[in-house]
Amino acid sequence: MKRDAYGLVTSSDSSDAQRAFESAVFGLAAHRPTTGSALQATIAADVHHVAGHALKGFANLILARSELATPAVDALNDARAALVARGGGTGDERLLVKALEAAAAGSFALSADLLEYGFEDRPTVFLPFKISQALRFMLGDAAGMLSASTRAVNSLDLADNSAGFILGCHAFSLEEHGRYEEALQAGQRAVSLQPDDSWGLHAVSHVFEMRGDTAEGIDWLEGSRKAWSRCNNFSFHMAWHLALLHLERGDHDRVLQIYDDEVRPQQTDDFRDMANAVSLLWRMQQSGIQVGDRWMDVAEIAHRRRADTTLIFAALHNLAAMVAVGDRNGMAELVSQIEAKALGLDDQARVAAEIGVPMARVLAGLDTPADQQAIDRMVANLPKIGGSNAQRDFFVLALARAVGHGGDNAAVSRIGQIRQRLKADDRLFQSIQSVKQSAGMSLSA
C-alpha cells in the first residue's frame, strides 16, 4: 500500500503509475489539458490501478453526455476487476468504487455522500474531496459544498500539496452563499499558496462580479491570465467571466472580441462551453449588441443534442440556443424530452420535474408563471439545475424578461428583489425592467 502525494492510499506497487496518477490528480485540480493523458499513462503503467479506473469513470460522468454513460460503466467494471486483482484493494479504493457505482446509477448526491462520509476522518484527502465538490456543484448543492469544504479547511495543514486547491474550493463555496468578504480572503490565500489554483482564481472573480466591482474583476482576471490561460477548456469559462465584466461596463467591442477569441475559439459541444456561449450571446443580444451569425454553430450543436437530458442544466442551454434561431421542431422535441425525463426516479429526473419542465416552457415561450408564488418557487428551485449563481443568473434574467413581456411589471420587480440578495443591480436587469411591454415576443427578440 502507498499513500500518494494527495493523501490517497492505493494498492499499486508501480512507481510509474503513482507518478502518473499524481500528475492526473494535479491536472484535475488545476484544470490542465494534460489530465487525460496522465490518466492513460497511469493505467498503462498499472492495468489494475483501481483509483485510475475510478477517476476515469467519474470523468466520463461529469462530462454529462448520454454517449459517455457506457464508457463510465466500462470504467466501473474495470475498477471492480482491479479490486479483485488486488485482493480487495485498500479501503480508500473500495470507497471510490462504491461512490462511482452510485454516480453511474444516476445518484450524484449519494455518491458525494459516500465520498464525504467515507473519508470523514480524513477530509483533506484531495481526490474524493474534489470529486464530491464537482458532483455537488452539478447538483447545485451549495450547502453540501460548504459543509465539506469547511470540514476540510478545519483539518488542513497548509504544507499539504492540496492546501491551496482545497482553500480555492472553500472560497467558491463561501461565494455561492453570498459570504463575499470571506470568499475573497480564502480565494486570495488559496492562490498565494497555489498559483495554479484556477478554481480559487475563479472564486475571486465571482466575488467581484456579484458585487458589481467590475474594474477590480477585470484587473484580477487580466493579472492572473498567465495561470488560467494554461487551463483546458476552463480557460473559456474564465474568459466568459471577463466578458461579463466588460459587458457591464458597456465595452461592447471588447465583449465581441473576447467571445470570438477566448470564449468560443473552438466550436466544441462540451456542455460547459455551450453554456458559456449561449448565455453570453443572449446577454449580448439583450444589451443591443449585433451578434451576427454567432448563434448558428451553437444552435446546430443544440439541435444535434435535442434528445439528451443527461443534465438538465445542459438541456436548458441547448433549448435557449434553438429558441434563439427559431428551431421550433428542435425546441418541441427537447421540451418533450425534458417532460419525459421528469417521470423518472434519478437525481436529474427530480431536477426536471421541479425546475426543468417549468423553465423549459418559459424559455420556449409556451408558458409563464401565473402568480407570485409560482415565480418564487421557480427562482427558489433554480439552484437544483446546478452550476453557479452567476451561471444560473441567465435563467433568472430570462424568466424576468418573459414575465415582463407578458405585462407583469410587479413580477419583474419581485424577481429583481430576489436577485439582489446575491447580485448587485446591473445594466442588463435595468434594461429588462425598462422594456416596454410587448406580449408574444420570442426569447431571442
Side-chain angles (χ1 to χ4, degrees):
M1 294 191 300
K2 293 182 180 180
R3 189 183 300 270
D4 72 15
Y6 296 95
L8 191 75
V9 179
T10 69
S11 57
S12 177
D13 57 3
S14 168
S15 296
D16 288 344
Q18 180 164 323
R19 282 193 295 272
F21 187 67
E22 288 172 352
S23 179
V25 173
F26 174 83
L28 175 70
H31 298 271
R32 290 292 175 84
T34 55
T35 306
S37 60
L39 195 52
Q40 289 176 348
T42 301
I43 296 170
D46 181 359
V47 70
H48 298 307
H49 198 287
V50 180
H53 290 298
L55 179 52
K56 182 178 179 181
F58 277 114
N60 277 290
L61 292 173
I62 288 170
L63 287 172
R65 301 160 64 94
S66 57
E67 67 270 25
L68 295 181
T70 297
V73 172
D74 290 343
L76 171 59
N77 290 332
D78 289 340
R80 288 168 170 159
L83 277 178
V84 173
R86 294 294 188 213
T90 68
D92 289 4
E93 291 171 335
R94 290 191 294 274
L95 282 166
L96 283 176
V97 174
K98 187 174 182 181
L100 178 57
E101 288 173 347
S107 182
F108 281 16
L110 175 59
S111 181
D113 285 345
L114 289 167
L115 290 168
E116 290 168 14
Y117 298 144
F119 288 86
E120 192 170 15
D121 60 334
R122 292 182 297 139
T124 61
V125 178
F126 185 71
L127 183 61
F129 169 81
K130 181 63 175 178
I131 292 172
S132 74
Q133 289 280 302
L135 297 175
R136 293 201 188 281
F137 175 74
M138 294 177 74
L139 293 169
D141 182 7
M145 292 171 64
L146 182 58
S147 177
S149 69
T150 300
R151 284 196 302 273
V153 167
N154 287 341
S155 301
L156 194 60
D157 181 343
L158 295 181
D160 287 349
N161 291 324
S162 59
F165 294 126
I166 288 174
L167 274 170
C169 289
H170 187 53
F172 181 79
S173 300
L174 288 166
E175 182 278 328
E176 288 297 285
H177 282 78
R179 294 164 60 176
Y180 295 136
E181 194 57 40
E182 294 171 83
L184 189 63
Q185 293 174 10
Q188 290 172 333
R189 183 61 188 276
V191 174
S192 70
L193 288 171
Q194 178 51 270
D196 290 307
D197 180 24
S198 294
W199 195 251
L201 290 169
H202 169 247
V204 172
S205 72
H206 268 260
V207 172
F208 290 132
E209 180 184 333
M210 301 306 278
R211 295 200 307 198
D213 298 332
T214 55
E216 293 92 333
I218 290 169
D219 287 347
W220 173 259
L221 284 169
E222 290 292 358
S224 59
R225 180 181 285 277
K226 183 178 178 181
W228 58 261
S229 64
R230 294 199 300 265
C231 291
N232 51 22
N233 63 330
F234 190 63
S235 65
F236 305 163
H237 183 66
M238 295 293 279
W240 177 79
H241 281 284
L242 182 61
L244 291 182
L245 292 164
H246 279 287
L247 184 63
E248 175 58 19
R249 288 167 65 90
D251 301 334
H252 291 178
D253 289 343
R254 179 65 176 137
V255 176
L256 281 169
Q257 181 185 33
I258 293 171
Y259 179 88
D260 290 337
D261 296 344
E262 301 185 75
V263 174
R264 196 68 178 160
Q266 303 168 21
Q267 295 182 353
T268 76
D269 63 353
D270 185 300
F271 82 88
R272 295 160 296 192
D273 302 344
M274 287 286 289
N276 296 331
V278 169
S279 62
L280 182 54
L281 283 174
W282 188 89
R283 285 177 169 93
M284 285 195 286
Q285 201 159 341
Q286 301 306 310
S287 301
I289 301 175
Q290 298 299 314
V291 300
D293 63 356
R294 291 176 177 86
W295 274 115
M296 296 312 298
D297 89 89
V298 291
E300 289 169 3
I301 290 169
H303 185 84
R304 292 200 299 269
R305 304 204 71 85
R306 65 192 181 278
D308 193 342
T309 56
T310 304
L311 186 69
I312 298 302
F313 175 90
L316 290 174
H317 280 91
N318 287 337
L319 178 61
M322 290 189 288
V323 171
V325 300
D327 180 2
R328 295 189 178 278
N329 290 336
M331 290 159 51
E333 182 171 350
L334 183 48
V335 171
S336 177
Q337 291 287 344
I338 294 172
E339 290 172 340
K341 181 77 169 184
L343 302 177
L345 299 175
D346 63 13
D347 285 350
Q348 287 301 304
R350 288 189 289 274
V351 173
E354 293 172 9
I355 185 60
V357 170
M359 194 71 229
R361 294 186 66 81
V362 168
L363 291 175
L366 301 174
D367 202 1
T368 55
D371 55 37
Q372 179 174 313
Q373 284 188 337
I375 292 168
D376 287 359
R377 186 164 55 250
M378 284 190 69
V379 176
N381 279 334
L382 266 177
K384 296 176 183 178
I385 68 171
S388 66
N389 289 323
Q391 288 174 312
R392 291 189 299 269
D393 193 47
F394 162 57
F395 297 110
V396 176
L397 292 167
L399 177 60
R401 187 184 182 283
V403 298
H405 280 299
D408 194 342
N409 292 329
V412 176
S413 296
R414 175 63 179 155
I415 293 170
Q417 291 169 5
I418 296 171
R419 184 175 184 257
Q420 285 176 348
R421 296 171 189 168
L422 288 172
K423 182 171 174 58
D425 200 11
D426 57 15
R427 290 173 184 247
L428 186 49
F429 195 82
Q430 290 170 0
S431 72
I432 290 172
Q433 286 180 306
S434 65
V435 168
K436 298 293 184 182
Q437 308 309 318
S438 177
M441 295 179 68
S442 73
L443 179 70
S444 60

PDB file of all heavy atoms in Angstrom, residues 43 65 80 82 94 109 114 118 139 165 181 187 234 253 256 262 265 267 307 397 406 410 421 436:
ATOM      1  N   ILE A  43      -2.894   4.019 -16.159  1.00  0.00           N
ATOM      2  CA  ILE A  43      -3.445   2.688 -16.424  1.00  0.00           C
ATOM      3  C   ILE A  43      -2.505   1.868 -17.301  1.00  0.00           C
ATOM      4  O   ILE A  43      -2.414   0.644 -17.165  1.00  0.00           O
ATOM      5  CB  ILE A  43      -4.850   2.833 -17.046  1.00  0.00           C
ATOM      6  CG1 ILE A  43      -5.791   3.492 -16.027  1.00  0.00           C
ATOM      7  CG2 ILE A  43      -5.396   1.483 -17.488  1.00  0.00           C
ATOM      8  CD1 ILE A  43      -7.134   3.904 -16.586  1.00  0.00           C
ATOM      9  N   ARG A  65     -22.754  13.591 -20.877  1.00  0.00           N
ATOM     10  CA  ARG A  65     -23.173  13.319 -22.251  1.00  0.00           C
ATOM     11  C   ARG A  65     -23.748  11.909 -22.292  1.00  0.00           C
ATOM     12  O   ARG A  65     -23.142  10.971 -21.762  1.00  0.00           O
ATOM     13  CB  ARG A  65     -21.993  13.419 -23.207  1.00  0.00           C
ATOM     14  CG  ARG A  65     -21.322  14.773 -23.214  1.00  0.00           C
ATOM     15  CD  ARG A  65     -19.909  14.697 -23.771  1.00  0.00           C
ATOM     16  NE  ARG A  65     -19.895  14.304 -25.168  1.00  0.00           N
ATOM     17  CZ  ARG A  65     -19.863  15.153 -26.184  1.00  0.00           C
ATOM     18  NH1 ARG A  65     -19.841  16.443 -25.956  1.00  0.00           N
ATOM     19  NH2 ARG A  65     -19.839  14.725 -27.424  1.00  0.00           N
ATOM     20  N   ARG A  80     -13.786  -2.493 -10.643  1.00  0.00           N
ATOM     21  CA  ARG A  80     -14.187  -3.671  -9.859  1.00  0.00           C
ATOM     22  C   ARG A  80     -13.224  -4.831 -10.096  1.00  0.00           C
ATOM     23  O   ARG A  80     -12.811  -5.519  -9.149  1.00  0.00           O
ATOM     24  CB  ARG A  80     -15.608  -4.087 -10.249  1.00  0.00           C
ATOM     25  CG  ARG A  80     -16.715  -3.154  -9.750  1.00  0.00           C
ATOM     26  CD  ARG A  80     -18.010  -3.512 -10.432  1.00  0.00           C
ATOM     27  NE  ARG A  80     -19.169  -2.831  -9.864  1.00  0.00           N
ATOM     28  CZ  ARG A  80     -20.318  -2.668 -10.514  1.00  0.00           C
ATOM     29  NH1 ARG A  80     -20.460  -3.141 -11.762  1.00  0.00           N
ATOM     30  NH2 ARG A  80     -21.322  -2.054  -9.935  1.00  0.00           N
ATOM     31  N   ALA A  82     -10.149  -4.610 -11.033  1.00  0.00           N
ATOM     32  CA  ALA A  82      -8.868  -4.265 -10.428  1.00  0.00           C
ATOM     33  C   ALA A  82      -8.889  -4.530  -8.921  1.00  0.00           C
ATOM     34  O   ALA A  82      -7.896  -4.989  -8.348  1.00  0.00           O
ATOM     35  CB  ALA A  82      -8.535  -2.800 -10.705  1.00  0.00           C
ATOM     36  N   ARG A  94     -11.838   1.043  -2.253  1.00  0.00           N
ATOM     37  CA  ARG A  94     -13.200   0.481  -2.188  1.00  0.00           C
ATOM     38  C   ARG A  94     -14.239   1.599  -2.076  1.00  0.00           C
ATOM     39  O   ARG A  94     -15.317   1.517  -2.684  1.00  0.00           O
ATOM     40  CB  ARG A  94     -13.313  -0.487  -1.009  1.00  0.00           C
ATOM     41  CG  ARG A  94     -12.521  -1.783  -1.195  1.00  0.00           C
ATOM     42  CD  ARG A  94     -12.864  -2.826  -0.155  1.00  0.00           C
ATOM     43  NE  ARG A  94     -12.458  -2.439   1.197  1.00  0.00           N
ATOM     44  CZ  ARG A  94     -11.252  -2.641   1.705  1.00  0.00           C
ATOM     45  NH1 ARG A  94     -10.305  -3.241   0.973  1.00  0.00           N
ATOM     46  NH2 ARG A  94     -10.968  -2.288   2.953  1.00  0.00           N
ATOM     47  N   ALA A 109     -25.887  12.635  -5.719  1.00  0.00           N
ATOM     48  CA  ALA A 109     -25.998  13.036  -4.312  1.00  0.00           C
ATOM     49  C   ALA A 109     -25.504  11.925  -3.395  1.00  0.00           C
ATOM     50  O   ALA A 109     -24.726  12.170  -2.457  1.00  0.00           O
ATOM     51  CB  ALA A 109     -27.441  13.398  -3.984  1.00  0.00           C
ATOM     52  N   LEU A 114     -21.226   9.382   0.001  1.00  0.00           N
ATOM     53  CA  LEU A 114     -20.323   8.262   0.256  1.00  0.00           C
ATOM     54  C   LEU A 114     -18.866   8.731   0.318  1.00  0.00           C
ATOM     55  O   LEU A 114     -18.098   8.302   1.184  1.00  0.00           O
ATOM     56  CB  LEU A 114     -20.479   7.200  -0.829  1.00  0.00           C
ATOM     57  CG  LEU A 114     -21.793   6.402  -0.798  1.00  0.00           C
ATOM     58  CD1 LEU A 114     -21.962   5.610  -2.097  1.00  0.00           C
ATOM     59  CD2 LEU A 114     -21.830   5.464   0.399  1.00  0.00           C
ATOM     60  N   GLY A 118     -17.241   8.561   3.895  1.00  0.00           N
ATOM     61  CA  GLY A 118     -16.213   7.539   3.880  1.00  0.00           C
ATOM     62  C   GLY A 118     -14.845   8.080   4.262  1.00  0.00           C
ATOM     63  O   GLY A 118     -14.009   7.354   4.805  1.00  0.00           O
ATOM     64  N   LEU A 139     -25.114  19.443  -8.930  1.00  0.00           N
ATOM     65  CA  LEU A 139     -26.428  19.331  -8.307  1.00  0.00           C
ATOM     66  C   LEU A 139     -26.934  20.664  -7.767  1.00  0.00           C
ATOM     67  O   LEU A 139     -28.073  20.756  -7.299  1.00  0.00           O
ATOM     68  CB  LEU A 139     -26.380  18.327  -7.148  1.00  0.00           C
ATOM     69  CG  LEU A 139     -26.137  16.865  -7.514  1.00  0.00           C
ATOM     70  CD1 LEU A 139     -25.838  16.054  -6.248  1.00  0.00           C
ATOM     71  CD2 LEU A 139     -27.343  16.284  -8.242  1.00  0.00           C
ATOM     72  N   PHE A 165      -5.553  24.231  -3.250  1.00  0.00           N
ATOM     73  CA  PHE A 165      -6.715  23.780  -4.014  1.00  0.00           C
ATOM     74  C   PHE A 165      -7.954  23.630  -3.125  1.00  0.00           C
ATOM     75  O   PHE A 165      -9.074  23.959  -3.538  1.00  0.00           O
ATOM     76  CB  PHE A 165      -6.405  22.456  -4.703  1.00  0.00           C
ATOM     77  CG  PHE A 165      -5.342  22.549  -5.762  1.00  0.00           C
ATOM     78  CD1 PHE A 165      -4.232  21.713  -5.731  1.00  0.00           C
ATOM     79  CD2 PHE A 165      -5.444  23.469  -6.805  1.00  0.00           C
ATOM     80  CE1 PHE A 165      -3.260  21.790  -6.720  1.00  0.00           C
ATOM     81  CE2 PHE A 165      -4.481  23.557  -7.795  1.00  0.00           C
ATOM     82  CZ  PHE A 165      -3.375  22.720  -7.741  1.00  0.00           C
ATOM     83  N   GLU A 181     -16.867  38.642   1.507  1.00  0.00           N
ATOM     84  CA  GLU A 181     -15.589  39.046   2.082  1.00  0.00           C
ATOM     85  C   GLU A 181     -14.763  37.835   2.511  1.00  0.00           C
ATOM     86  O   GLU A 181     -13.549  37.767   2.265  1.00  0.00           O
ATOM     87  CB  GLU A 181     -15.810  39.988   3.266  1.00  0.00           C
ATOM     88  CG  GLU A 181     -14.550  40.723   3.700  1.00  0.00           C
ATOM     89  CD  GLU A 181     -13.918  41.530   2.580  1.00  0.00           C
ATOM     90  OE1 GLU A 181     -14.653  42.152   1.791  1.00  0.00           O
ATOM     91  OE2 GLU A 181     -12.661  41.517   2.496  1.00  0.00           O
ATOM     92  N   GLY A 187     -10.036  32.893  -1.188  1.00  0.00           N
ATOM     93  CA  GLY A 187      -9.568  32.724  -2.557  1.00  0.00           C
ATOM     94  C   GLY A 187      -8.191  33.318  -2.774  1.00  0.00           C
ATOM     95  O   GLY A 187      -7.337  32.711  -3.442  1.00  0.00           O
ATOM     96  N   PHE A 234     -11.529  25.118 -19.329  1.00  0.00           N
ATOM     97  CA  PHE A 234     -11.892  26.016 -18.238  1.00  0.00           C
ATOM     98  C   PHE A 234     -11.429  27.441 -18.540  1.00  0.00           C
ATOM     99  O   PHE A 234     -12.006  28.411 -18.027  1.00  0.00           O
ATOM    100  CB  PHE A 234     -11.288  25.516 -16.923  1.00  0.00           C
ATOM    101  CG  PHE A 234     -11.796  26.230 -15.702  1.00  0.00           C
ATOM    102  CD1 PHE A 234     -13.130  26.167 -15.339  1.00  0.00           C
ATOM    103  CD2 PHE A 234     -10.930  26.962 -14.896  1.00  0.00           C
ATOM    104  CE1 PHE A 234     -13.603  26.820 -14.217  1.00  0.00           C
ATOM    105  CE2 PHE A 234     -11.391  27.609 -13.764  1.00  0.00           C
ATOM    106  CZ  PHE A 234     -12.728  27.543 -13.422  1.00  0.00           C
ATOM    107  N   ASP A 253     -17.470  46.255 -28.007  1.00  0.00           N
ATOM    108  CA  ASP A 253     -16.486  45.728 -28.952  1.00  0.00           C
ATOM    109  C   ASP A 253     -15.551  44.739 -28.266  1.00  0.00           C
ATOM    110  O   ASP A 253     -15.182  43.705 -28.852  1.00  0.00           O
ATOM    111  CB  ASP A 253     -15.678  46.873 -29.569  1.00  0.00           C
ATOM    112  CG  ASP A 253     -16.487  47.723 -30.534  1.00  0.00           C
ATOM    113  OD1 ASP A 253     -17.553  47.255 -30.973  1.00  0.00           O
ATOM    114  OD2 ASP A 253     -16.061  48.857 -30.836  1.00  0.00           O
ATOM    115  N   LEU A 256     -17.341  41.338 -27.771  1.00  0.00           N
ATOM    116  CA  LEU A 256     -17.357  40.547 -29.003  1.00  0.00           C
ATOM    117  C   LEU A 256     -15.988  39.937 -29.285  1.00  0.00           C
ATOM    118  O   LEU A 256     -15.888  38.774 -29.700  1.00  0.00           O
ATOM    119  CB  LEU A 256     -17.783  41.428 -30.187  1.00  0.00           C
ATOM    120  CG  LEU A 256     -19.284  41.695 -30.314  1.00  0.00           C
ATOM    121  CD1 LEU A 256     -19.541  42.777 -31.339  1.00  0.00           C
ATOM    122  CD2 LEU A 256     -20.039  40.419 -30.685  1.00  0.00           C
ATOM    123  N   GLU A 262     -11.737  33.985 -27.185  1.00  0.00           N
ATOM    124  CA  GLU A 262     -11.448  33.290 -25.940  1.00  0.00           C
ATOM    125  C   GLU A 262     -12.608  32.482 -25.356  1.00  0.00           C
ATOM    126  O   GLU A 262     -12.364  31.480 -24.685  1.00  0.00           O
ATOM    127  CB  GLU A 262     -10.966  34.290 -24.889  1.00  0.00           C
ATOM    128  CG  GLU A 262      -9.712  35.049 -25.311  1.00  0.00           C
ATOM    129  CD  GLU A 262      -9.198  35.941 -24.202  1.00  0.00           C
ATOM    130  OE1 GLU A 262      -8.607  35.408 -23.241  1.00  0.00           O
ATOM    131  OE2 GLU A 262      -9.424  37.172 -24.278  1.00  0.00           O
ATOM    132  N   PRO A 265     -13.434  30.043 -29.105  1.00  0.00           N
ATOM    133  CA  PRO A 265     -12.410  29.899 -30.133  1.00  0.00           C
ATOM    134  C   PRO A 265     -12.521  28.575 -30.887  1.00  0.00           C
ATOM    135  O   PRO A 265     -11.969  28.431 -31.970  1.00  0.00           O
ATOM    136  CB  PRO A 265     -11.104  29.965 -29.336  1.00  0.00           C
ATOM    137  CG  PRO A 265     -11.468  29.422 -27.991  1.00  0.00           C
ATOM    138  CD  PRO A 265     -12.868  29.910 -27.751  1.00  0.00           C
ATOM    139  N   GLN A 267     -15.463  25.372 -31.832  1.00  0.00           N
ATOM    140  CA  GLN A 267     -16.894  25.064 -31.847  1.00  0.00           C
ATOM    141  C   GLN A 267     -17.130  23.702 -31.200  1.00  0.00           C
ATOM    142  O   GLN A 267     -17.581  22.748 -31.836  1.00  0.00           O
ATOM    143  CB  GLN A 267     -17.427  25.130 -33.274  1.00  0.00           C
ATOM    144  CG  GLN A 267     -17.361  26.531 -33.851  1.00  0.00           C
ATOM    145  CD  GLN A 267     -17.935  26.631 -35.250  1.00  0.00           C
ATOM    146  OE1 GLN A 267     -18.285  25.643 -35.873  1.00  0.00           O
ATOM    147  NE2 GLN A 267     -18.045  27.843 -35.748  1.00  0.00           N
ATOM    148  N   ALA A 307     -32.152  15.406 -27.921  1.00  0.00           N
ATOM    149  CA  ALA A 307     -32.749  14.290 -27.177  1.00  0.00           C
ATOM    150  C   ALA A 307     -31.967  13.970 -25.903  1.00  0.00           C
ATOM    151  O   ALA A 307     -32.335  13.034 -25.178  1.00  0.00           O
ATOM    152  CB  ALA A 307     -32.820  13.046 -28.066  1.00  0.00           C
ATOM    153  N   LEU A 397     -32.626  36.024 -15.478  1.00  0.00           N
ATOM    154  CA  LEU A 397     -32.855  37.111 -16.426  1.00  0.00           C
ATOM    155  C   LEU A 397     -33.890  36.717 -17.477  1.00  0.00           C
ATOM    156  O   LEU A 397     -34.769  37.523 -17.841  1.00  0.00           O
ATOM    157  CB  LEU A 397     -31.538  37.487 -17.104  1.00  0.00           C
ATOM    158  CG  LEU A 397     -30.476  38.139 -16.209  1.00  0.00           C
ATOM    159  CD1 LEU A 397     -29.130  38.160 -16.927  1.00  0.00           C
ATOM    160  CD2 LEU A 397     -30.894  39.542 -15.806  1.00  0.00           C
ATOM    161  N   GLY A 406     -44.794  39.654 -20.800  1.00  0.00           N
ATOM    162  CA  GLY A 406     -46.181  39.253 -20.598  1.00  0.00           C
ATOM    163  C   GLY A 406     -47.000  40.334 -19.925  1.00  0.00           C
ATOM    164  O   GLY A 406     -48.202  40.174 -19.703  1.00  0.00           O
ATOM    165  N   ALA A 410     -44.971  43.920 -11.898  1.00  0.00           N
ATOM    166  CA  ALA A 410     -44.793  43.581 -10.490  1.00  0.00           C
ATOM    167  C   ALA A 410     -43.953  42.321 -10.333  1.00  0.00           C
ATOM    168  O   ALA A 410     -43.123  42.214  -9.431  1.00  0.00           O
ATOM    169  CB  ALA A 410     -46.151  43.402  -9.814  1.00  0.00           C
ATOM    170  N   ARG A 421     -30.462  39.676  -3.543  1.00  0.00           N
ATOM    171  CA  ARG A 421     -29.921  39.050  -2.338  1.00  0.00           C
ATOM    172  C   ARG A 421     -28.510  38.530  -2.578  1.00  0.00           C
ATOM    173  O   ARG A 421     -27.739  38.350  -1.634  1.00  0.00           O
ATOM    174  CB  ARG A 421     -30.821  37.890  -1.893  1.00  0.00           C
ATOM    175  CG  ARG A 421     -32.220  38.336  -1.469  1.00  0.00           C
ATOM    176  CD  ARG A 421     -33.132  37.139  -1.260  1.00  0.00           C
ATOM    177  NE  ARG A 421     -34.516  37.549  -1.062  1.00  0.00           N
ATOM    178  CZ  ARG A 421     -35.560  36.721  -1.083  1.00  0.00           C
ATOM    179  NH1 ARG A 421     -35.348  35.418  -1.275  1.00  0.00           N
ATOM    180  NH2 ARG A 421     -36.780  37.170  -0.906  1.00  0.00           N
ATOM    181  N   LYS A 436     -40.462  48.213 -22.801  1.00  0.00           N
ATOM    182  CA  LYS A 436     -41.902  48.405 -22.989  1.00  0.00           C
ATOM    183  C   LYS A 436     -42.559  47.034 -23.124  1.00  0.00           C
ATOM    184  O   LYS A 436     -42.043  46.138 -23.771  1.00  0.00           O
ATOM    185  CB  LYS A 436     -42.178  49.223 -24.277  1.00  0.00           C
ATOM    186  CG  LYS A 436     -41.592  50.625 -24.247  1.00  0.00           C
ATOM    187  CD  LYS A 436     -42.253  51.494 -23.220  1.00  0.00           C
ATOM    188  CE  LYS A 436     -41.695  52.925 -23.295  1.00  0.00           C
ATOM    189  NZ  LYS A 436     -42.296  53.792 -22.261  1.00  0.00           N
TER     190      LYS A 436
END
